[in-house]
Amino acid sequence: MSFLHPTEGEYVQHHLTYLQLNLHTMKLGNGGFWTLNIDTLITSVVVGALFLFFFWYVARRATSGVPGRLQNLVEAIFSFVQSMVKEAFHGKNELLVPLSLTIFMWIFLMNFMDLIPVDLIPNVLYIFGVIDFRPVPTDDLNVTAAIALGVFCLIIYYNIKVKGWHLATEILSKPFGWWLLPLNVLFRCLEEVVKPISLALRLYGNMFAGELIFILIALLPWWIQWTLGGIWSLFHILIITLQAFIFMMLTIVYMSMAHESHD
Amino acid sequence: MNINVTLFGELITFAVLVLVTMKYIWPPIMKAMAEREKKIVDGLEAAERGEKSLVLAEKKAKKQLQIAKGEASDIVGQANLRSAQVVEAAKDKAQQEAKKIHELAKSDIATESEKAKQQLKADVANLVVAATEKLIATNIDVATNKELIDKFIAEV
């Protein structure tokens, strides 16, 4: 429990409140749809910039000779992503590998914010007058939905680009044949819509639950926190990596489905 | 769950991240990796080629060594033959020389002994005359005696 928030309810509430900007009044507070979650935006952009800077720094001095430690690390991540794409995707696409890499690294780093002690960033910012701050961007549905929506748009785009008119026949006649045309269309729509929703909710749900458990652990007496906290932290290292990997892998699979006909 | 405008902010962020990765990060690292792969493949090929040429060179060297060995043994054989010939020739020459010297010595000895014989004959005659003179004193005719003695000596 924090010295700033004496009761359990207030403490949990504090950790579940975004730092929001109401775009109607341009003041802090919730303004319905026209609200910016400043904390989410800042953290995700900072983390994304870190990712870009680190990789750009390595890419700028990449050598085909003996690679240094940093280049080794980056190349290991590269070949990991590349092998994943090669395994699941058999078409030709210049975008997919960088896309998968970005998704994996960005989500991983945003998830990683969850491993920073729950009170550290909010309390430090509180000293500077920021009342609420949620430091884990993937703990905000807006982020996960944004990435999922991006992937969804790409799926639609490549479906049309690769299949052309064949896409129409595919939607109308698969999987039940021409006689059940309406059912085919309904099924296809469902199938496509479920993809981004499941992507977004899976990541959000995992990270929200993870963060919530850290908050609850923080409510325990200080001398017992390390037991559950330690176990959950170890477990969470696995979860954040796994969730980033799953998001990337599903993106690759969906993109592969967009490139290949069902027949 | 509250979806708000943040969604679009994040969408833009996502797009920027993907574009920057695709334009500025992916290509150079990919290039470096592909180049290294090529280098390694080339290196392996070169190593294989080197190994092959080494085997070839070893074979060649062995062959040459064998040829050289054969030549050497030929040369040694010839040398042996030649030396035997030389020795034989020298032996012949030495024998001839020895024979020659022997002959020469033989003839020398013959003349010397003849000479000595003559000398001896003369000396003996004189000695006998002198001795006889002393023995028989004066009254003997010297001329007759000399004749007798010479006769005797010739018979010797």
Side-chain angles (χ1 to χ4, degrees):
Chain A
M1 213 186 311
S2 166
F3 58 95
L4 303 168
H5 302 279
T7 74
E8 279 95 349
E10 270 176 35
Y11 180 76
V12 173
Q13 196 57 45
H14 156 67
H15 273 290
L16 293 183
T17 310
Y18 295 105
L19 175 64
Q20 290 180 316
L21 179 71
N22 186 337
L23 290 179
H24 292 299
T25 59
M26 292 312 277
K27 278 179 189 151
L28 293 180
N30 194 340
F33 179 75
W34 290 102
T35 307
L36 267 184
N37 294 352
I38 298 171
D39 44 6
T40 304
L41 262 179
I42 290 175
T43 336
S44 64
V45 169
V46 165
V47 157
L50 268 176
F51 152 67
L52 281 189
F53 177 75
F54 175 60
F55 273 60
W56 170 79
Y57 175 81
V58 173
R60 204 167 49 109
R61 50 189 69 202
T63 162
S64 63
V66 180
R69 269 185 222 170
L70 285 183
Q71 199 185 333
N72 247 337
L73 174 68
V74 168
E75 282 185 8
I77 299 172
F78 261 58
S79 18
F80 163 69
V81 173
Q82 207 177 20
S83 68
M84 285 300 139
V85 171
K86 255 187 200 154
E87 232 168 68
F89 182 80
H90 304 292
K92 240 192 107 170
N93 195 326
E94 294 286 303
L95 175 75
L96 185 56
V97 190
L99 174 78
S100 311
L101 175 76
T102 313
I103 287 176
F104 180 69
M105 283 311 294
W106 196 32
I107 292 179
F108 175 76
L109 288 173
M110 288 194 289
N111 289 353
F112 190 84
M113 298 298 291
D114 214 357
L115 292 180
I116 295 170
V118 273
D119 275 325
L120 185 65
I121 295 173
N123 282 4
V124 167
L125 287 173
Y126 194 91
I127 297 168
F128 295 101
V130 179
I131 299 153
D132 294 307
F133 195 91
R134 291 180 67 167
V136 187
T138 37
D139 184 15
D140 183 342
L141 189 60
N142 286 306
V143 172
T144 59
I147 305 174
L149 206 62
V151 172
F152 178 68
C153 293
L154 286 173
I155 290 171
I156 304 284
Y157 171 73
Y158 280 110
N159 251 318
I160 295 168
K161 190 187 167 198
V162 173
K163 292 175 186 163
W165 284 109
H166 185 66
L167 179 66
T169 50
E170 190 183 283
I171 293 172
L172 296 178
S173 68
K174 305 280 156 96
F176 299 120
W178 288 99
W179 293 107
L180 288 169
L181 190 143
L183 210 58
N184 289 335
V185 175
L186 184 73
F187 260 64
R188 184 57 184 253
C189 287
L190 258 171
E191 188 192 335
E192 294 299 338
V193 167
V194 155
K195 284 174 189 172
I197 291 177
S198 69
L199 273 181
L201 287 182
R202 179 183 305 108
L203 181 57
Y204 169 69
N206 269 285
M207 297 324 292
F208 183 78
E211 178 77 346
L212 197 63
I213 287 175
F214 275 126
I215 294 166
L216 294 178
I217 289 169
L219 287 174
L220 293 172
W222 63 267
W223 46 267
I224 197 75
Q225 281 177 5
W226 64 272
T227 49
L228 285 176
I231 293 167
W232 186 244
S233 291
L234 284 176
F235 188 54
H236 214 59
I237 293 173
L238 186 71
I239 291 183
I240 62 170
T241 320
L242 195 66
Q243 285 307 318
F245 174 73
I246 288 173
F247 207 113
M248 176 189 83
M249 209 55 223
L250 283 175
T251 303
I252 297 169
V253 169
Y254 292 157
M255 287 292 273
S256 158
M257 283 161 77
H259 279 71
E260 285 163 8
S261 301
H262 284 267
D263 46 27
Chain B
M1 294 213 285
N2 39 8
I3 289 287
N4 54 34
V5 141
T6 316
L7 178 78
F8 296 102
E10 295 296 343
L11 209 53
I12 293 163
T13 314
F14 180 49
V16 169
L17 286 180
V18 172
L19 283 178
V20 172
T21 308
M22 192 168 74
K23 278 240 153 73
Y24 300 104
I25 289 172
W26 189 254
I29 294 183
M30 236 22 248
K31 206 177 129 225
M33 284 168 81
E35 266 172 24
R36 176 159 343 103
E37 210 166 290
K38 199 175 165 293
K39 265 188 200 172
I40 291 171
V41 168
D42 286 355
L44 285 177
E45 255 171 34
E48 213 166 290
R49 251 182 286 135
E51 220 165 281
K52 263 185 201 160
S53 67
L54 180 69
V55 170
L56 227 69
E58 260 173 11
K59 257 188 204 164
K60 212 173 158 189
K62 233 183 213 168
K63 214 170 154 191
Q64 273 185 342
L65 199 67
Q66 260 173 356
I67 291 173
K69 261 186 190 163
E71 270 176 15
S73 73
D74 275 5
I75 288 170
V76 169
Q78 273 178 357
N80 277 340
L81 204 70
R82 178 105 186 87
S83 73
Q85 279 173 349
V86 167
V87 167
E88 204 58 41
K91 231 189 206 165
D92 276 2
K93 211 176 164 192
Q95 266 170 355
Q96 274 171 8
E97 200 73 20
K99 226 179 189 172
K100 228 173 162 181
I101 290 169
H102 188 68
E103 299 283 317
L104 221 68
K106 237 176 165 175
S107 73
D108 267 7
I109 288 167
T111 42
E112 282 300 316
S113 79
E114 197 60 35
K115 238 191 200 167
K117 250 186 205 168
Q118 295 296 332
Q119 185 75 39
L120 207 60
K121 269 181 190 170
D123 284 355
V124 167
N126 287 337
L127 275 173
V128 170
V129 171
T132 320
E133 262 175 18
K134 281 205 175 147
L135 276 175
I136 319 168
T138 49
N139 57 351
I140 287 174
D141 184 22
V142 175
T144 319
N145 288 349
K146 179 101 167 115
E147 204 175 315
L148 275 171
I149 290 162
D150 278 345
K151 215 173 159 189
F152 168 72
I153 289 165
E155 280 166 12
V156 174

